[in-house]
Amino acid sequence: MAAQPAFRMLRWLVRSGTRGCSSGAPVTQPRPGVAPPPTREELPTRLQYLREHAAPFSAFLTDSFGRQHSYLRISLTEKCNLRCRYCMPEEGVPLTPRADLLTTEEILILARLFVKEGVDKIRLTGGEPLIRPDVVDIVARLHQLEGLRTIGVTTNGINLARLLPQLQKAGLGAINISLDTLVPAKFEFIVRRKGFHKVMEGIHKAIELGYNPVKVNCVVMRGVNEDELLDFVALAEGLPLDMRFIEYMPFDGNKWNFKKMVSYKEMLDTIQQRWPELETLPEEESSTAKAFKIPGFQGQVSFITSMSENFCGTCNRLRITADGNLKVCLFGNSEVSLRDHLRAGASEEELLSIIGAAVGRKKRQHAGMFNIAQMKNRPMILIGG
């Protein structure tokens, strides 16, 4: 119960533009509809209360439900060398003009600001992040940020074997590789391109270089690849893989419907029929995956249950799109342009107020699979995985 006044105070501090970590911050007038601020006499006492009762985390990255956002996903490009059916419409997508995309320096300015406020994990996404020419340099410069604990990448794996030695040396600490089938011909059907053997080469290069686990993301679609579940799980017997099965999610242009979605419980039941000794693994509070271990296996199995059992209550993720928009929810259609404010000369404090206001508007949970399917949102490739 004691945490509730603290979170109300955090909400006021964020919405009014006053930082909760500094008792010397100016008191500003609240916007209409925002609770009145504490008086100047009350402020030092209330701030001291926050220090004692709330976790030491930035008010700008703490939402109205007390969720602290320490994980930032940055899309480096809208371009991709594959055309995955669940990610990109068949007709492709109109790309943002290059001048409207974040520059490398703008990416680093924003990353530095978020890390300064408490983000300790950054994941680089796309499009396909490894087709960006300066991706190794970006990783190296992010690696220099004090307080950043992990730099990860989500990739389709096509360029991974070639670039991974340089990326590892630059500071890349975690890898997610997308692979939705173990059948080369089916691979071409799903991604509308060749490249299966390059992806497998990338997975084995990651293992060779000591990444453990190597996370392999598989979007499961009924009538397409649900018959390969057991084959994927068997890969984790002798390899340090985290096989992550993802429920098919609706985005603009991917022709989602409920009948194509294979639920987590259905997948789990299929796997347990073959391996009844499957054991549940403990998970971090903010984890998006339900993880399991099969005794004797080197790797493990996980499920991303965004549709059937959402994990919104512990969400700690924010996203920046390649064109510089902040998205506080993958499935939400509200965005705010950090790029425009950066280019207009906004100060660090002004940027933080804009970010804090967006985080403060984050909803308790997404709208549910059927409502999401009717909402206007970007195709996945323009959001950043």
Side-chain angles (χ1 to χ4, degrees):
M1 294 297 290
Q4 292 307 309
F7 289 140
R8 283 198 292 272
M9 180 64 174
L10 281 169
R11 285 202 297 273
W12 178 81
L13 288 166
V14 168
R15 292 172 180 174
S16 67
T18 305
R19 294 195 62 175
C21 57
S22 170
S23 59
V27 177
T28 60
Q29 293 301 312
R31 300 195 309 271
V34 176
T39 65
R40 288 188 179 277
E41 291 73 24
E42 292 175 324
L43 189 58
T45 303
R46 303 280 302 273
L47 289 172
Q48 183 61 35
Y49 177 88
L50 270 181
R51 293 191 190 99
E52 293 173 357
H53 292 83
F57 196 83
S58 168
F60 294 104
L61 301 187
T62 303
D63 70 14
S64 301
F65 306 99
R67 293 173 295 201
Q68 299 171 343
H69 296 78
S70 59
Y71 182 3
L72 179 66
R73 301 171 75 98
I74 302 176
S75 175
L76 297 185
T77 179
E78 295 177 345
K79 295 180 179 179
C80 188
N81 43 8
L82 299 182
R83 294 290 182 273
C84 299
R85 293 175 181 273
Y86 53 82
C87 179
M88 185 185 290
E90 188 171 359
E91 65 276 12
V93 294
L95 297 176
T96 302
R98 184 174 179 180
D100 294 334
L101 299 175
L102 289 179
T103 66
T104 300
E105 291 306 318
E106 288 169 337
I107 288 171
L108 293 166
I109 287 169
L110 291 174
R112 191 176 300 114
L113 183 59
F114 277 88
V115 170
K116 186 177 176 183
E117 291 300 307
V119 163
D120 62 10
K121 180 176 181 178
I122 289 178
R123 178 167 295 279
L124 303 176
T125 68
E128 170 48 42
L130 299 193
I131 66 174
R132 181 159 174 144
D134 61 347
V135 62
V136 175
D137 181 55
I138 289 173
V139 170
R141 294 175 70 180
L142 288 174
H143 189 58
Q144 295 171 6
L145 296 180
E146 184 178 351
L148 186 58
R149 180 174 53 85
T150 304
I151 304 170
V153 69
T154 294
T155 173
N156 62 30
I158 297 292
N159 294 339
L160 186 60
R162 176 173 59 86
L163 289 175
L164 190 52
Q166 301 169 62
L167 289 165
Q168 186 180 53
K169 189 177 293 185
L172 186 71
I175 303 172
N176 286 38
I177 304 167
S178 298
L179 180 65
D180 305 303
T181 179
L182 298 173
V183 180
K186 194 187 292 187
F187 178 90
E188 291 182 34
F189 169 77
I190 294 172
V191 309
R192 304 185 180 107
R193 295 290 187 276
K194 295 182 183 296
F196 173 79
H197 297 292
K198 287 186 176 181
V199 179
M200 295 304 295
E201 184 185 357
I203 291 172
H204 287 286
K205 175 60 73 173
I207 293 170
E208 175 191 322
L209 292 178
Y211 287 92
N212 187 356
V214 175
K215 295 182 177 180
V216 177
N217 292 346
C218 175
V219 177
V220 181
M221 296 165 282
R222 194 178 308 282
V224 178
N225 61 351
E226 87 277 19
D227 58 327
E228 296 186 63
L229 277 171
L230 301 183
D231 295 331
F232 270 112
V233 174
L235 280 182
E237 182 172 8
L239 297 173
L241 302 177
D242 182 358
M243 283 305 317
R244 292 155 50 95
F245 298 112
I246 302 173
E247 292 179 340
Y248 185 35
M249 298 177 280
F251 292 98
D252 270 18
N254 74 352
K255 300 180 180 178
W256 181 91
N257 70 60
F258 178 70
K259 292 179 180 178
K260 288 184 182 178
M261 194 198 84
V262 183
S263 73
Y264 145 64
K265 288 188 175 177
E266 182 178 342
M267 289 188 273
L268 183 63
D269 181 62
T270 298
I271 294 168
Q272 281 182 318
Q273 288 181 38
R274 170 66 180 81
W275 290 284
E277 66 274 30
L278 201 67
E279 300 172 356
T280 304
L281 291 174
E283 57 192 63
E284 294 181 12
E285 183 184 13
S286 59
S287 175
T288 60
K290 298 183 190 332
F292 296 82
K293 182 83 173 175
I294 299 172
F297 273 44
Q298 216 178 319
Q300 65 183 54
V301 178
S302 301
F303 302 89
I304 312 297
T305 64
S306 306
M307 297 293 96
S308 65
E309 294 185 19
N310 76 66
F311 31 81
C312 302
T314 57
C315 180
N316 69 337
R317 290 156 174 74
L318 300 172
R319 287 175 167 78
I320 297 177
T321 62
D323 58 353
N325 281 9
L326 176 66
K327 283 182 73 78
V328 298
C329 175
L330 173 62
F331 299 108
N333 52 17
S334 62
E335 303 180 1
V336 59
S337 177
L338 301 182
R339 177 203 65 203
D340 289 353
H341 290 287
L342 260 180
R343 295 181 183 180
S347 68
E348 182 175 299
E349 288 300 318
E350 288 169 334
L351 284 171
L352 285 173
S353 292
I354 292 158
I355 292 165
V359 173
R361 292 190 295 268
K362 184 169 180 173
K363 296 178 180 178
R364 183 183 292 275
Q365 64 184 53
H366 66 58
M369 70 177 92
F370 297 109
N371 290 326
I372 290 170
Q374 306 304 317
M375 288 168 57
K376 186 67 179 172
N377 197 1
R378 298 191 190 212
M380 187 61 169
I381 190 167
L382 296 184
I383 296 175

